[in-house]
């Protein structure tokens, strides 16, 4: 059996989306719980940031050192294995007796909760070429929903039963999902003959030589998803918790649900790639990012305007993300897991820079500085798009299989 013998149905695409969203959501359960967790261990709230850092470092290591194996091993077994390990890590989080053990548990969970990033290139492999954009859009929307749902739900669950209950419920959900995936997902043979592990990791970095449009794909995603998305959402917390809003964490969480607009519209965004409209659509989404940041600067004292800006920006960022990732998967059929490794690590680096910039810009000049910087990044992304359209067109006309 090969990938082409397996039919990518809408049911399977939705299942992939749910599984991917649940996996990525594991990274974000802790973020609204940091104060409660630190109080439980009798430690200063400021130490809670170390838990987020431990999770992120673990995830980066898992992406870099495990995800490339998706091009060389049987992915059903790989997905099942990392999901089972995720369940064990979540249980360890729930029963952690100390801050150190919890940090190590979250670090371990970050390493293994990468099934969503294995599934995304797999969805590209199993899709027909004329449906790949739509399928990637569905799965990508599941990831976006998972991020938003985990942040919102964890605060509510912890309010009723405490922070440990969040990880108990997450472990149960992940266990149920792994059983479903084992039952539903067909056995898929490996795509390539396995190399030595050292050569495998080295081949991740040679993708830059093999695909001349890859740097432009990464730059678009890094500028829009990595920088603007993280600058905006990190700074939004500062804005809403200060005058004139003075919102508490629950109210800020409700505002963040505006990002669900991205999940709703993201399902159909990939069709633009399938119809050959990805190049103009990418430029249009970048323009929308720019306009939304200008509006965020102009209407910073209106919560209605801020919610609309957050929703519109989320749709535009999701559009850039889906289109760039679909284009990424079109570069090579045999390298999709390694290409996705480069893509995710690139976004991780840009995202870390964006979060740091948000704090710096806020301390220097508040919301106005944040919006001006985000607008400048949007202009830079638009310039990159204008000068890279010919390379994108080349990539559309010549797939490197």
């Amino acid at each position: 059996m090969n990938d082409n013998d397996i039919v990518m149905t809408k049911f399977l695409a939705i299942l992939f989306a749910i599984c991917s969203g649940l996996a990525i959501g594991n990274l974000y359960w802790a973020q609204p719980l940091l104060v409660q967790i630190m109080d439980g261990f009798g430690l200063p709230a400021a130490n809670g940031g170390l838990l987020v850092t431990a999770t992120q470092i673990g995830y980066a290591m898992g992406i870099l050192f495990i995800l490339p194996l998706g091009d060389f091993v049987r992915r059903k077994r790989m997905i099942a294995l990392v999901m089972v390990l995720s369940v064990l890590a979540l249980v360890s989080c729930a029963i952690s007796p100390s801050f150190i053990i919890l940090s190590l548990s979250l670090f371990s969970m970050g390493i293994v909760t990468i099934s969503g990033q294995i599934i995304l290139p797999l969805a590209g492999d199993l899709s027909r070429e004329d449906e790949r954009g739509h399928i990637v859009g569905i799965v990508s929307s599941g990831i976006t929903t998972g991020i938003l749902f985990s942040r919102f739900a964890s605060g509510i669950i912890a309010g009723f039963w405490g922070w440990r209950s969040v990880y108990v419920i997450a472990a149960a959900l992940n266990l149920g999902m792994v059983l479903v995936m084992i039952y539903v997902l067909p056995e898929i043979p490996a795509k390539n003959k396995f190399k030595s592990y050292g050569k495998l990791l080295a081949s991740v970095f040679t993708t830059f030589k093999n695909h001349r449009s890859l740097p432009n794909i990464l730059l678009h995603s890094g500028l829009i998803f990595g920088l603007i998305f993280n600058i905006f959402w990190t700074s939004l917390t500062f804005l809403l918790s200060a005058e004139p809003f003075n919102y508490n964490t629950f109210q800020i969480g409700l505002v963040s649900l505006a990002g669900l607009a991205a999940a709703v519209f993201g399902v159909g965004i990939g069709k633009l790639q399938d119809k050959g409209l990805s190049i103009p659509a990418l430029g249009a989404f970048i323009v929308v990012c720019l306009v939304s940041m200008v509006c965020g600067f102009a209407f910073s004292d209106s919560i209605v305007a801020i919610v609309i800006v957050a929703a519109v920006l989320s749709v535009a960022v999701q559009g850039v993300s889906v289109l760039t990732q679909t284009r990424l998967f079109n570069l090579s059929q045999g390298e999709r897991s390694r290409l996705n490794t480069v893509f995710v690590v690139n976004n991780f680096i840009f995202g870390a820079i964006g979060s740091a910039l948000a704090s710096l810009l806020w301390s220097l000049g508040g919301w106005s500085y944040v919006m001006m910087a985000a607008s400048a990044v949007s202009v830079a992304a638009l310039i990159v798009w204008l000068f890279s359209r010919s390379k994108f067109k080349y990539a559309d006309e010549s797939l490197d299989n």
Side-chain angles (χ1 to χ4, degrees):
M1 178 186 291
N2 56 50
D3 291 352
N4 293 329
D5 296 326
I6 303 169
V7 177
M8 170 55 77
T9 62
K10 200 160 189 178
F11 168 76
L12 192 57
I14 294 172
L15 181 64
F16 279 8
I18 296 172
C19 185
S20 299
L22 193 57
I24 200 72
N26 290 336
L27 302 173
Y28 295 94
W29 294 115
Q31 288 192 358
L33 310 177
L34 297 180
V35 173
Q36 189 179 113
I37 292 173
M38 291 302 98
D39 287 345
F41 289 124
L43 296 172
N47 289 0
L50 296 174
L51 298 178
V52 177
T53 301
T55 307
Q56 291 175 335
I57 292 174
Y59 185 64
M61 292 182 65
I63 292 297
L64 187 57
F65 294 109
I66 300 176
L67 181 58
L69 290 168
D71 286 335
F72 296 92
V73 302
R74 293 182 178 271
R75 282 165 290 178
K76 178 176 181 176
R77 300 177 188 179
M78 184 178 179
I79 291 169
L81 176 60
V82 296
M83 290 183 72
V84 169
L85 292 174
S86 296
V87 172
L88 295 176
L90 288 165
V91 171
S92 180
C93 290
I95 63 176
S96 293
S98 69
F99 177 78
I100 296 297
I101 299 299
L102 179 59
S103 299
L104 291 173
S105 298
L106 287 170
F107 171 74
S108 301
M109 185 189 67
I111 292 176
V112 296
T113 189
I114 60 169
S115 56
Q117 300 301 341
I118 303 170
I119 287 170
L120 199 51
L122 174 59
D125 286 349
L126 300 181
S127 305
R128 296 203 319 261
E129 186 176 338
D130 61 343
E131 291 184 339
R132 186 170 297 129
H134 181 46
I135 296 300
V136 170
I138 292 174
V139 179
S140 181
S141 293
I143 290 175
T144 302
T145 303
I147 294 172
L148 293 169
F149 173 79
S150 61
R151 285 173 171 168
F152 180 70
S154 63
I156 295 176
I157 295 170
F160 284 104
W161 301 297
W163 69 267
R164 294 181 187 276
S165 67
V166 173
Y167 289 101
V168 172
I169 293 172
L173 291 173
N174 279 265
L175 179 59
M177 182 53 64
V178 71
L179 295 175
V180 171
M181 291 296 286
I182 290 173
Y183 179 76
V184 173
L185 191 63
E187 188 63 57
I188 303 166
K191 293 188 291 183
N192 303 298
K193 188 175 180 181
F194 188 72
K195 306 176 181 180
S196 71
Y197 186 68
K199 290 182 178 179
L200 169 62
L201 291 182
S203 69
V204 172
F205 300 98
T206 60
T207 53
F208 287 93
K209 287 195 309 181
N210 298 338
H211 310 291
R212 72 180 194 178
S213 64
L214 179 59
N216 288 303
I217 291 172
L218 297 179
L219 192 54
H220 278 102
S221 181
L223 290 173
I224 299 299
F225 182 82
L227 288 185
I228 294 179
F229 184 80
N230 282 279
I231 287 173
F232 177 83
W233 284 103
T234 301
S235 302
L236 184 63
T237 301
F238 302 148
L239 175 71
L240 296 179
S241 60
E243 295 287 348
F245 302 108
N246 296 316
Y247 284 180
N248 58 36
T249 54
F250 179 75
Q251 291 170 311
I252 293 173
L254 290 177
V255 174
S256 71
L257 291 179
L260 282 174
V264 174
F265 286 95
V267 173
I269 287 173
K271 292 181 179 180
L272 297 171
Q273 171 77 26
D274 299 332
K275 295 178 180 179
L277 300 174
S278 65
I279 296 175
L282 183 62
F285 283 127
I286 294 172
V287 170
V288 172
C289 285
L290 174 58
V291 172
S292 62
M293 292 300 90
V294 172
C295 290
F297 175 84
F299 303 105
S300 61
D301 58 347
S302 168
I303 188 58
V304 174
I306 291 298
V307 169
I308 293 173
V309 166
V312 172
L313 176 66
S314 296
V315 172
V317 171
Q318 181 77 350
V320 171
S321 182
V322 170
L323 293 175
T324 52
Q325 199 149 30
T326 304
R327 185 175 298 282
L328 183 87
F329 293 154
N330 280 344
L331 293 178
S332 173
Q333 182 177 358
E335 298 176 284
R336 284 184 180 131
S337 288
R338 282 167 288 172
L339 287 168
N340 199 41
T341 297
V342 175
F343 187 84
V344 176
V345 170
N346 172 76
N347 286 345
F348 183 88
I349 293 171
F350 272 93
I353 295 171
S355 297
L357 277 176
S359 298
L360 176 62
L361 291 166
W362 183 268
S363 65
L364 291 175
W367 184 253
S368 60
Y369 271 41
V370 169
M371 290 295 95
M372 286 190 290
S375 299
V377 174
S378 300
V379 172
L382 189 59
I383 292 172
V384 172
W385 174 79
L386 287 170
F387 284 95
S388 63
R389 286 178 296 170
S390 60
K391 292 183 180 180
F392 279 155
K393 185 176 181 181
Y394 173 84
D396 281 339
E397 293 171 351
S398 177
L399 297 181
D400 301 308
N401 291 322

